[in-house]
Amino acid sequence: MKAVRALGVLVIAVQLVSFVAFALSFSTVFAVVKNISSPDVVSLEMVTDESTGSGELRLEAGPRNGGYLGVELTLDLSVLDEDDNYIGRNSTSVRLDAGERKTVTLCLHIPADVMLEMTNGGKKSFLEITLRMRTLFNLVGVSNTLRVEGGGP
Amino acid sequence: MNRKVAAVLSAVVTLLVFTVLPLYAQSLLPSELGMLLNQVGFDLTGFLNQIALIGVVVAFLSVAKGFVYETSPLNLLLSIASSVMTLGITLVTLSLGDIGNLGITMISMKGEGGSNTMILDLRLFIQLAVLTVALKVVHSVLKFMGARTETASAEPHQLADTG
């Protein structure tokens, strides 16, 4: 009967751990997503070099982790052509402990010929921003990919 | 508390939480929300109906268990079935209605000139739920064996007393 009781306690313990882990990781992910969704936290600008015609896409973010657990945050910035081929891609990762705020800067160089094609109505292009988050010792994750059309005819 | 009363109470609570509440919530939600969720490929009605259906099954199993002797193999079967159905509720909830996802759920929304895709990786909680059910099954088996042993050891004494 002792084994039955011990197992019963173990079942309750596993259920409790699952519930607490779920609540902590979800509240952490929600807090970071809520923070990074506000417009004053993320900025994106395109700087064109007039002399060469090339461009630089610059993404700046200052996310804050208002949750209870640390988060591994990855930002991925890419430009794709209409056939889903990557024209340019860059990513960066940052570790945000609970309550911590860090500034992340991500630059993407776009060659002059591609810039010309994009602005002069040659081909369609897409800007893709992916935000990946992993928490609870990298065991729980959420990723969000936003793709918007830019340039083109 | 009487086992039968406890079983009925447990079934009523299960029915309220997993069947009545999802069905009632469905009628309270604005239709715009349903349409919006449909756009992202999430069938809210189907999701809530799945939970409500499993709730009915779990409630039925709970009542049936209360009316079967603890030493009966049927009681063990009902306990195992109840644990597995509870796992079903967890799977449906964490996979947002699509059990086949096994904890990796994708929500995608496409509009003119853009798209937004969200992927949730909740495999850990599915694994923990499977572990819990496995432990519950072992617990049920040990409890059943214990009940059988107790009854078997009590029977000769009863016979001696009556003899």
Side-chain angles (χ1 to χ4, degrees), chain A residues 106-122:
Chain A
L106 193 60
C107 295
L108 188 65
H109 179 78
I110 302 171
D113 56 328
V114 177
M115 281 291 287
L116 198 69
E117 225 174 33
M118 278 164 66
T119 49
N120 289 353

Side-chain angles (χ1 to χ4, degrees), chain B residues 144-157:
Chain B
F144 169 72
M145 283 163 63
R148 297 270 284 203
T149 314
E150 265 181 28
T151 314
S153 59
E155 269 171 2
H157 295 296

Side-chain angles (χ1 to χ4, degrees), chain A residues 1 3-4 7-8 10-11 14-15 18 21-22 25-26 134 136 139-149, chain B residues 94 112-125 128-129 131-132 135-136 138-139 142-143 146 150:
Chain A
M1 284 311 275
V4 176
L7 205 57
L10 185 64
V11 169
V14 173
Q15 282 177 323
S18 308
F22 185 79
S25 37
F26 240 76
R134 292 205 74 84
L136 198 73
L139 292 168
V140 180
V142 172
S143 94
N144 191 60
T145 303
L146 179 73
R147 185 187 272 211
V148 284
E149 196 183 314
Chain B
L94 293 180
E112 245 181 76
S115 65
N116 193 18
T117 308
M118 186 179 251
I119 299 169
L120 304 167
D121 178 4
L122 302 173
R123 283 175 296 180
L124 170 73
F125 302 110
L128 282 172
L131 173 70
T132 306
L135 288 173
K136 272 184 175 176
V138 176
H139 183 249
L142 288 178
K143 215 172 148 184
E150 265 181 28

Side-chain angles (χ1 to χ4, degrees), chain B residues 17-54:
Chain B
V17 174
F18 295 111
T19 307
V20 177
L21 201 65
L23 294 176
Y24 182 60
Q26 213 169 317
S27 63
L28 290 180
L29 292 171
S31 58
E32 292 86 8
L33 181 71
M35 280 158 63
L36 186 77
L37 290 171
N38 265 335
Q39 279 181 357
V40 298
F42 176 56
D43 179 12
L44 181 68
T45 311
F47 170 68
L48 292 175
N49 285 344
Q50 279 184 63
I51 291 183
L53 185 68
I54 299 174

Side-chain angles (χ1 to χ4, degrees), chain A residues 2 6 10-11 14 16 20 33 43 47-48 53 59 64 69 72 78-79 89 99 106 109 112 134 139 147-149 151:
Chain A
K2 271 185 183 174
L10 185 64
V11 169
V14 173
L16 264 175
V20 171
V33 167
S43 71
V47 181
T48 313
L59 185 131
R64 183 182 176 275
L69 303 171
E72 189 74 34
S78 10
V79 174
R89 192 176 187 184
L106 193 60
H109 179 78
R134 292 205 74 84
L139 292 168
R147 185 187 272 211
V148 284
E149 196 183 314

